[in-house]
Amino acid sequence: MIDLHTHSSASDGEYSPSQLVFFAADKGISVLALTDHDTVQGLDEAAAAAEEKQITFIKGIEININRPRGEFHLLGLGLQKIAPELENLTKRLQTERIARNRTIIESMQADGFSVDYAELEETFSGQCIGRPHIAAYLVEKRIVRRRQQAFDKYIGHGRPYYRSKQGAELPEAIEAILASGGIPVIAHPLSLYISWGKMEETLSWLHDAGIQGLEAWHPGAKVSSCRRLEEMARRIGFFITAGSDFHGEAVRADRKLGHTAGKIEIADTYWTDELEPALRGC
């Protein structure tokens, strides 16, 4: 099995980068990409663990792209180096993420909740804090019973303490990935919230903009939709990727490492037939 979309505690995953690799080895994963949100901090640790476990490791990232509607995440797979363009971009995105976190906590505090930003940072010291960490913090503070309840009641989209996240502009994200020797790939394209009638036209435009791959297979989609996306992507000229978007059992119990839509195992053929030529040397 392979998995080209996973997260560690360097962003919002459950396991440290090395723990993720060890877990992947236990599950029989032969090729693994670490694609943390807006950060590359965990890549060296994961690469060292992958060498120990003799797993082919793909250095990656998942960048949030500014979009007025829906959610646009761009994977960068096969990073050879961290170019200044990518380093500067991630630093800016992390600064904006911290500002967002602080605004959420301070707004809740102003409304009488017993929360404190310094305490949040101390609780998740060394991690790239985001809303999943805030949700876990609210569970710890007994403000909610479960993480999902924190999103449903307080910090999810449309809830009173939701604050929009600043992302990168698409051209700068593509440039940063390419400058780092990586390949830009559209993650979970259905989250773009584009109708099927406009999907091919939009994806064609994104391909012309410099994006080379499309994650047609993602556990958040139906198998029939994934097959439709794969057929469309091949017509356009994308290569196809598949991932689990694994964050850890405690974060998303429904997502299993090495499995994608319909709980289908991600076969090695996706690597040998599609990605090995594209990512050779990573």
Side-chain angles (χ1 to χ4, degrees), residues 94-113 115-118 120-121 129-131 134 138 154-155 159-166:
Q94 292 307 321
T95 298
E96 292 171 348
R97 183 186 292 264
I98 291 169
R100 180 200 195 200
N101 296 338
R102 186 182 292 277
T103 299
I104 292 172
I105 294 298
E106 290 179 350
S107 297
M108 295 189 73
Q109 192 176 48
D111 284 346
F113 288 94
V115 293
D116 180 77
Y117 184 74
L120 172 69
E121 284 194 312
I129 300 173
R131 283 188 301 156
I134 294 175
L138 296 182
Y154 296 117
I155 62 174
R159 298 298 92 196
Y161 302 105
Y162 173 81
R163 300 294 183 270
S164 60
K165 180 169 60 175
Q166 292 297 312

Side-chain angles (χ1 to χ4, degrees), residues 248-260:
E249 297 95 331
V251 180
R252 290 293 302 264
D254 59 321
R255 295 185 180 175
K256 306 295 184 183
L257 198 66
H259 294 74
T260 189

Side-chain angles (χ1 to χ4, degrees), residues 43-258:
L43 294 181
D44 288 343
E45 178 185 335
E51 184 175 1
E52 177 184 338
K53 290 294 184 177
Q54 296 184 322
I55 290 177
T56 299
F57 181 66
I58 307 300
K59 292 185 176 182
I61 190 171
E62 184 173 11
I63 301 174
N64 182 56
I65 304 298
N66 284 326
R67 179 176 169 80
R69 183 173 179 269
E71 183 179 73
F72 189 173
H73 288 177
L74 186 67
L75 298 171
L77 296 178
L79 304 177
Q80 307 294 315
K81 59 182 180 179
I82 307 305
E85 294 90 336
L86 185 58
E87 183 176 3
N88 293 335
L89 176 59
T90 55
K91 284 181 179 178
R92 192 188 82 223
L93 293 176
Q94 292 307 321
T95 298
E96 292 171 348
R97 183 186 292 264
I98 291 169
R100 180 200 195 200
N101 296 338
R102 186 182 292 277
T103 299
I104 292 172
I105 294 298
E106 290 179 350
S107 297
M108 295 189 73
Q109 192 176 48
D111 284 346
F113 288 94
S114 179
V115 293
D116 180 77
Y117 184 74
E119 185 178 52
L120 172 69
E121 284 194 312
E122 184 178 350
T123 301
F124 298 102
S125 178
Q127 297 186 38
C128 177
I129 300 173
R131 283 188 301 156
H133 300 90
I134 294 175
Y137 174 64
L138 296 182
V139 172
E140 184 175 301
K141 299 293 289 185
R142 298 186 178 180
I143 294 171
V144 295
R145 292 184 179 181
R146 301 178 306 279
R147 294 187 186 191
Q148 189 57 47
Q149 187 181 11
F151 284 92
D152 294 342
K153 193 171 182 179
Y154 296 117
I155 62 174
H157 194 275
R159 298 298 92 196
Y161 302 105
Y162 173 81
R163 300 294 183 270
S164 60
K165 180 169 60 175
Q166 292 297 312
E169 296 302 320
L170 180 60
E172 67 172 336
I174 292 174
E175 179 185 0
I177 291 169
L178 293 176
S180 300
I183 296 174
V185 177
I186 302 170
H188 39 74
L190 293 185
S191 69
L192 294 169
Y193 289 177
I194 298 169
S195 68
W196 282 109
K198 296 182 179 179
M199 181 67 78
E200 187 157 359
E201 178 185 356
T202 302
L203 293 181
S204 295
W205 179 85
L206 292 170
H207 183 266
D208 290 343
I211 301 178
Q212 300 170 35
L214 185 130
E215 186 184 50
W217 290 86
H218 183 274
K222 296 179 180 178
V223 170
S224 59
S225 296
C226 294
R227 289 185 178 132
R228 188 173 181 180
L229 283 168
E230 180 168 354
E231 291 172 1
M232 187 180 296
R234 291 190 188 282
R235 286 197 300 270
I236 295 169
F238 287 111
F239 66 78
I240 309 303
T241 72
S244 68
D245 205 351
F246 179 77
H247 287 70
E249 297 95 331
V251 180
R252 290 293 302 264
D254 59 321
R255 295 185 180 175
K256 306 295 184 183
L257 198 66

